[in-house]
Amino acid sequence: MQSKIIRQNLMPERLGISKAAAFELQNPRSPRYDPSFPKKIALGARSRGFFEHELLAWLDSRRVNTQPTGRAA
């Protein structure tokens, strides 16, 4: 299986979050820091990216149960 790379500048759009939110998730000094967020990989001297499968797994781990509660109408 070949892993697809999502470049750092495209990652927020891919996850449906703002650039600021993406930065805060990665910044250990932020109150919104998430240590489980995938780590960046170096693609070149000035280019970074993420493995798509790691981003999708992280997103799945944050999924909230959206099933109906079973209330009677």
Side-chain angles (χ1 to χ4, degrees), residues 11 15 25-26 34-41 49-59:
M11 177 268 297
L15 294 180
L25 288 169
Q26 300 172 71
D34 185 348
S36 68
F37 192 79
K39 303 299 180 219
K40 293 182 262 190
I41 58 170
F50 296 88
F51 286 114
E52 181 181 42
H53 70 274
E54 290 180 359
L55 290 172
L56 295 176
W58 176 83
L59 199 56

Side-chain angles (χ1 to χ4, degrees), residues 8-9 13 15 23 26 33 40 43 52 57 67 71:
Q8 182 173 341
N9 62 333
E13 180 182 330
L15 294 180
F23 178 77
Q26 300 172 71
Y33 172 67
K40 293 182 262 190
L43 302 175
E52 181 181 42
Q67 298 297 322
R71 287 189 201 168

Side-chain angles (χ1 to χ4, degrees), residues 3 17 32 40 45 60:
S3 294
I17 60 177
R32 293 174 186 82
K40 293 182 262 190
D60 283 343

Side-chain angles (χ1 to χ4, degrees), residues 1 3-4 10 15 18 22 27 33-34 47-49 57 60 66 72-73:
M1 177 178 100
S3 294
K4 185 174 179 182
L10 299 177
L15 294 180
S18 69
N27 182 356
Y33 172 67
D34 185 348
S47 180
R48 304 288 180 264
D60 283 343
T66 58

